[in-house]
Amino acid sequence: DGGGGGGAGGGGAEDGGKGGSKEGRSSVRVQDKYAAWEKYDADSALEKLEASARAQEELRRKVTKLENQRAQARVRRRQEREAAESEALRLQGNAAFGAAKYEEAVELYTHALELTPRSAVLYANRGLALLKLRLPTEAEEDCSAAIELEPTNVKARMRRAQARMDTGKFDTALEDLEVALDKEPRNGA
């Protein structure tokens, strides 16, 4: 029994030894942690983080700028293609008009306007073709669109005046003629 008691006592001593050892290790670890923390330069770490954030932001700006430049280049290329197609359609429309194929001319000018909807020339040309088809109301609308886009477009004013005369709007037709003559006094049309 004495051996067992001694064993129990020995066991107690072992636990006490381990407990003392754990406390010793814990206090060393805590002390090491505090020492490491005191050596830690928070200002330097913060500067590194801020520098990294600035570098990332600068990189993001550069990437965004490149993406915008690429997108603008794509838009420019598309607009150039559409302008070239529109010009080809306008020339075909002019040829059809010259051959007195007014419906075909209207169709071609319409397709061209789908590609370049801000073309005063196309609206004015389609307006003239519509006049030839005896559609003065539609011609007036097209000529008005041309004038809205390009207020100094004398041809559009003259054609709108004709369309207005054809629909009995003589007062407004006279106003268009006066503005046209104001812009081009030598135009005897």
Side-chain angles (χ1 to χ4, degrees):
D1 279 336
E14 282 179 15
D15 287 346
K18 284 184 182 177
S21 171
K22 279 185 183 178
E23 286 176 18
R25 278 189 272 166
S26 294
S27 66
V28 169
R29 286 184 189 158
V30 170
Q31 288 173 354
D32 288 345
K33 288 179 184 179
Y34 280 118
W37 181 250
E38 286 180 14
K39 290 179 185 176
Y40 181 71
D41 185 0
D43 291 335
S44 175
L46 183 60
E47 284 177 19
K48 286 178 184 176
L49 283 173
E50 288 173 347
S52 174
R54 283 191 302 271
Q56 286 178 346
E57 179 62 22
E58 182 61 27
L59 181 61
R60 187 193 63 75
R61 274 193 223 116
K62 286 180 180 178
V63 167
T64 300
K65 183 178 180 181
L66 285 172
E67 288 173 349
N68 286 341
Q69 288 172 341
R70 286 181 182 157
Q72 289 170 355
R74 280 193 304 270
V75 167
R76 275 192 303 275
R77 284 191 301 271
R78 188 190 80 231
Q79 288 173 336
E80 289 168 0
R81 269 193 319 272
E82 289 174 350
E85 286 178 51
S86 178
E87 179 63 12
L89 289 167
R90 184 188 69 80
L91 293 173
Q92 291 172 17
N94 290 354
F97 185 89
K101 297 178 181 178
Y102 304 122
E103 288 179 12
E104 183 181 334
V106 167
E107 236 178 80
L108 289 163
Y109 293 139
T110 300
H111 290 308
L113 279 165
E114 289 169 0
L115 296 170
T116 53
R118 299 199 46 82
S119 172
V121 170
L122 289 171
Y123 278 110
N125 286 2
R126 189 171 71 176
L128 182 59
L130 289 167
L131 277 173
K132 294 291 186 177
L133 291 171
R134 292 185 170 76
L135 297 169
T137 303
E138 292 83 351
E140 180 183 359
E141 288 173 9
D142 272 7
C143 292
S144 293
I147 292 165
E148 188 173 317
L149 291 169
E150 189 181 309
T152 60
N153 190 318
V154 173
K155 287 182 180 180
R157 289 237 181 239
M158 300 291 286
R159 292 168 186 170
R160 186 170 74 175
Q162 181 62 54
R164 286 178 169 177
M165 285 190 289
D166 291 351
T167 56
K169 299 176 184 174
F170 299 111
D171 291 340
T172 54
L174 181 59
E175 289 172 14
D176 277 339
L177 290 172
E178 288 171 347
V179 171
L181 284 173
D182 233 15
K183 302 271 184 224
E184 287 186 18
R186 294 184 183 194
N187 190 338

